[in-house]
Amino acid sequence: MTQNNILIKSTKFFVVLAILVGIVLFFQTTVDDSYICFRYGYNLIHHGIWNWNADNERIEAYTSFTYMILSVFPPLLNIQPQIFFKIFTFIFFLLILRRIYALVDNKKYAWFIIFFVVANWHTHVHIYAGLETIFWFYLLIETFSILYKEDFSNKQQSKLWLLALLFPLTRPEGAVFSMFIFVYVFFKNNRKIYFPTLILFALIGGIYFILRYKYFGLLLPLSFYHKSIGNNMGFLGILFNTYTAWQYLFLLIFLLFQVKKQNKLAFYFILTVLFVYYAFYGTSALLMNYANRFAFQLFYPAIIFALIMLAQKASEKINKKVHIVMLVFIALIVYKGFTDKTPLQFGTIKENMLFTAYMHKTHFNTGNQIAALKNNKIKVLMGDAGVLPYLANTKCYDPYGLADVYLSTKHIDRAYFDKMDADLLILSGFFNEETIHKDITNVGKIYQYISEPNSNYTYLYKFTTAQNNKYAMFFYVKNNSKYKIEIIEALDKAKIHHDNFKITPKDFLTFQYLNNYKVND
């Protein structure tokens, strides 16, 4: 057996091992934002309306229309949505690995790049998180693999224009990549364009845009306004988002200089993702940036494509240097996974691994108790727009603005707060009793309103979601609410569950925290 064959066999072993470890550690991880998506499918099937709340106040709280369409299938088939999406995303993860293997002629390098993907623990968090990140990754890799190939037949162009259509349907910044495809094909490659397929997909995209604009009344999804406008931190945000993603930036910029002479397509790809990251999200407070979500979904596909191009075209000497840097990157990410203490993030392996368990301690627990009341007249204002609204199945308000048209671009004022007139307030964030009033988001402003001497709200409890207690939930009930007694009774039960909650190895290893059926189902 040759040395190459031994190296390939050992790499295959570690690839399989990494995938299995990822399943054990992160299969139960489902982030709060994913339940925003799940709620649309649930409301359509059970209430006959395409909306975040089951009413006529139209709110486009989701980012990915492609995932919204898929969110219809779990309630239609009566299966848990998080399991459906974990399986769906895992399939596309395997397709990404297959594409890498097919694109690299030297299979030793192919397996090394595949190992690089699966050795990054961030990859496994995003496979199972319930969001479109891995599907988006797949779209980018497929697109740039087509642009790289010499074959540009009508069949390949049809696939390319389909991908160009899926980009903006999957994420708002996808329109930039669609434009990239258009510019590259028309002005760089000078190849014959098959206009019928281009026009067809352009018409489909145009019709979708008009229909969603007529339905929701906004040019872009609320999540884009929320992250790019509503939570603008200015230059401080640029520094913060550079610091939190410096490992990705380090490798990306290193590869930028390596591919400059080797492959212009990879060079342009890297420049594009750098532009998108800083132009769209650079100044934003990325509150749900678990496992470097935003850097991962933009930078990592460009990194992988650059590595593929170098494996095909660069010298043995360059590739050895690149491999060393790749291993340094993995070491830095693993080190970060054990030591990260960055605020406003869930940055460690342990935090991501136990995320869903802690959500059962608080969000699932509270949502199920509210749902058990079977009273859709109760109005709840809460700081997390995913799990609680999905389970509670009642009228909800999102003070952060992810699911609120007015607050997505403006700060809350007293008049708007009084207009919501919520029966229950759940103020959540990275604060405690001493620092909540300093919170720079709308939650801090609401706390000031309800702390006034003539406030109509009474404080009930504090729940903590993480072991180090850095993320807290404060509960307040409206004094003259018709539902005050039943709300308190439900929260008393939630408090008992919260106080007695324990994470056991047996529950974790048997995937106990995937079970979150609604109480009222």
Side-chain angles (χ1 to χ4, degrees):
M1 186 179 289
T2 66
Q3 187 177 358
N4 259 5
N5 286 337
I6 294 172
L7 186 61
I8 288 173
K9 279 185 175 293
S10 59
T11 307
K12 284 182 181 179
F13 170 78
F14 285 111
V15 165
V16 173
L17 180 63
I19 292 173
L20 292 176
V21 171
I23 291 172
V24 172
L25 294 184
F26 300 114
F27 189 76
Q28 295 190 91
T29 301
T30 311
V31 301
D32 184 75
D33 279 13
S34 64
Y35 284 85
I36 297 172
C37 160
F38 302 163
R39 195 177 195 213
Y40 279 82
Y42 181 89
N43 281 341
L44 181 66
I45 298 302
H46 291 277
H47 300 294
I49 189 166
W50 187 254
N51 206 10
W52 186 64
N53 281 313
D55 60 21
N56 293 318
E57 186 183 352
R58 294 174 181 176
I59 299 169
E60 189 182 21
Y62 55 82
T63 297
S64 177
F65 179 75
T66 53
Y67 258 48
M68 288 310 102
I69 293 298
L70 292 168
S71 75
V72 173
F73 289 100
L76 193 63
L77 301 174
N78 197 29
I79 59 177
Q80 292 193 67
Q82 71 276 28
I83 295 177
F84 173 87
F85 279 100
K86 288 174 194 295
I87 295 171
F88 175 84
T89 307
F90 187 79
I91 291 170
F92 279 92
F93 159 67
L94 295 179
L95 290 175
I96 291 170
L97 301 187
R98 182 186 177 191
R99 176 57 62 199
I100 294 170
Y101 186 81
L103 283 174
V104 181
D105 295 331
N106 186 325
K107 297 311 175 187
K108 179 183 73 173
Y109 288 164
W111 279 107
F112 192 81
I113 296 171
I114 289 171
F115 171 74
F116 176 73
V117 174
V118 300
N120 184 352
W121 65 271
H122 290 172
T123 300
H124 302 281
V125 173
H126 294 299
I127 293 171
Y128 308 115
L131 293 178
E132 72 283 349
T133 307
I134 295 296
F135 181 67
W136 167 264
F137 194 139
Y138 169 80
L139 295 179
L140 285 171
I141 291 294
E142 281 297 298
T143 296
F144 284 88
S145 67
I146 293 173
L147 292 175
Y148 165 69
K149 292 175 183 176
E150 292 298 325
D151 176 23
F152 209 62
S153 62
N154 188 22
K155 180 180 178 181
Q156 288 299 311
Q157 285 196 39
S158 297
K159 186 177 179 181
L160 187 62
W161 301 131
L162 173 61
L163 291 166
L165 172 64
L166 288 173
F167 273 124
L169 297 184
T170 303
R171 291 200 59 81
E173 66 267 27
V176 175
F177 293 97
S178 299
M179 186 59 66
F180 181 99
I181 297 170
F182 181 84
V183 171
Y184 189 85
V185 170
F186 273 74
F187 299 104
K188 179 64 180 174
N189 280 9
N190 296 318
R191 289 162 170 165
K192 181 181 177 182
I193 306 301
Y194 292 89
F195 282 98
T197 54
L198 171 59
I199 293 170
L200 173 63
F201 286 116
L203 282 174
I204 294 172
I207 291 169
Y208 162 76
F209 184 83
I210 292 169
L211 290 176
R212 65 160 293 281
Y213 179 76
K214 288 187 71 174
Y215 190 82
F216 291 112
L218 289 171
L219 292 175
L220 295 166
L222 282 186
S223 58
F224 177 80
Y225 295 100
H226 169 72
K227 292 183 176 72
S228 297
I229 301 172
N231 278 320
N232 194 297
M233 294 170 63
F235 184 68
L236 181 62
I238 293 175
L239 292 177
F240 180 76
N241 292 321
T242 298
Y243 167 71
T244 57
W246 73 266
Q247 296 92 342
Y248 284 90
L249 282 165
F250 153 73
L251 181 55
L252 193 70
I253 293 171
F254 168 79
L255 292 173
L256 178 69
F257 289 100
Q258 298 302 316
V259 300
K260 187 175 182 181
K261 293 181 180 179
Q262 302 291 337
N263 186 273
K264 290 296 184 184
L265 177 59
F267 180 75
Y268 297 143
F269 188 4
I270 292 174
L271 290 179
T272 302
V273 298
L274 283 168
F275 165 76
V276 170
Y277 183 76
Y278 283 103
F280 284 70
Y281 302 112
T283 62
S284 178
L286 303 177
L287 300 177
M288 289 298 290
N289 198 23
Y290 52 89
N292 279 120
R293 170 187 170 190
F294 293 90
F296 181 92
Q297 69 189 22
L298 287 170
F299 296 160
Y300 214 49
I303 288 169
I304 299 304
F305 186 74
L307 293 175
I308 292 170
M309 295 302 98
L310 288 171
Q312 290 293 84
K313 295 188 174 184
S315 66
E316 189 77 18
K317 183 179 178 181
I318 290 176
N319 274 308
K320 283 183 178 178
K321 181 169 64 172
V322 169
H323 290 167
I324 291 171
V325 176
M326 290 165 67
L327 292 174
V328 170
F329 171 84
I330 291 298
L332 289 170
I333 290 297
V334 171
Y335 177 76
K336 180 179 183 178
F338 286 107
T339 63
D340 189 31
K341 291 182 172 56
T342 307
L344 305 182
Q345 294 203 66
F346 302 94
T348 67
I349 293 171
K350 184 177 181 180
E351 285 173 336
N352 282 273
M353 183 177 70
L354 299 178
F355 186 88
T356 299
Y358 287 125
M359 294 282 277
H360 275 266
K361 179 183 179 183
T362 53
H363 293 60
F364 286 106
N365 167 33
T366 305
N368 277 328
Q369 293 301 335
I370 295 172
L373 297 175
K374 297 183 179 180
N375 184 349
N376 60 10
K377 301 295 184 183
I378 295 173
K379 295 184 288 186
V380 182
L381 182 150
M382 75 298 118
D384 295 290
V387 169
L388 273 165
Y390 175 78
L391 293 176
N393 197 22
T394 191
K395 175 74 173 180
C396 293
Y397 300 98
D398 171 25
Y400 285 127
L402 187 61
D404 190 292
V405 177
Y406 180 84
L407 296 180
S408 62
T409 57
K410 300 178 181 66
H411 290 294
I412 198 167
D413 54 36
R414 186 58 185 261
Y416 195 75
F417 173 71
D418 290 341
K419 180 182 176 182
M420 288 189 284
D421 193 32
D423 300 289
L424 173 66
L425 306 182
I426 307 173
L427 305 185
S428 56
F430 296 91
F431 41 64
N432 54 37
E433 291 88 339
E434 290 75 36
T435 61
I436 186 173
H437 70 281
K438 298 178 182 178
D439 186 69
I440 61 173
T441 69
N442 287 329
V443 169
K445 199 71 173 175
I446 291 171
Y447 178 77
Q448 293 177 24
Y449 296 149
I450 62 177
S451 298
E452 294 171 356
N454 60 344
S455 170
N456 194 26
Y457 288 90
T458 298
Y459 171 72
L460 296 175
Y461 313 114
K462 172 189 174 183
F463 289 178
T464 53
T465 61
Q467 197 170 30
N468 57 12
N469 296 334
K470 70 179 182 182
Y471 194 84
M473 302 167 64
F474 294 86
F475 292 79
Y476 301 82
V477 66
K478 189 171 72 171
N479 294 327
N480 60 353
S481 169
K482 294 188 294 185
Y483 317 112
K484 179 179 178 180
I485 294 175
E486 57 185 302
I487 289 172
I488 292 175
E489 289 175 351
L491 293 179
D492 283 342
K493 295 176 184 177
K495 182 70 164 56
I496 293 171
H497 177 94
H498 171 271
D499 292 344
N500 294 310
F501 183 85
K502 285 183 172 51
I503 299 172
T504 67
K506 180 183 176 182
D507 287 344
F508 187 78
L509 293 173
T510 55
F511 303 107
Q512 180 66 31
Y513 301 113
L514 285 176
N515 298 322
N516 63 342
Y517 292 105
K518 291 187 181 182
V519 169
N520 61 336
D521 276 354

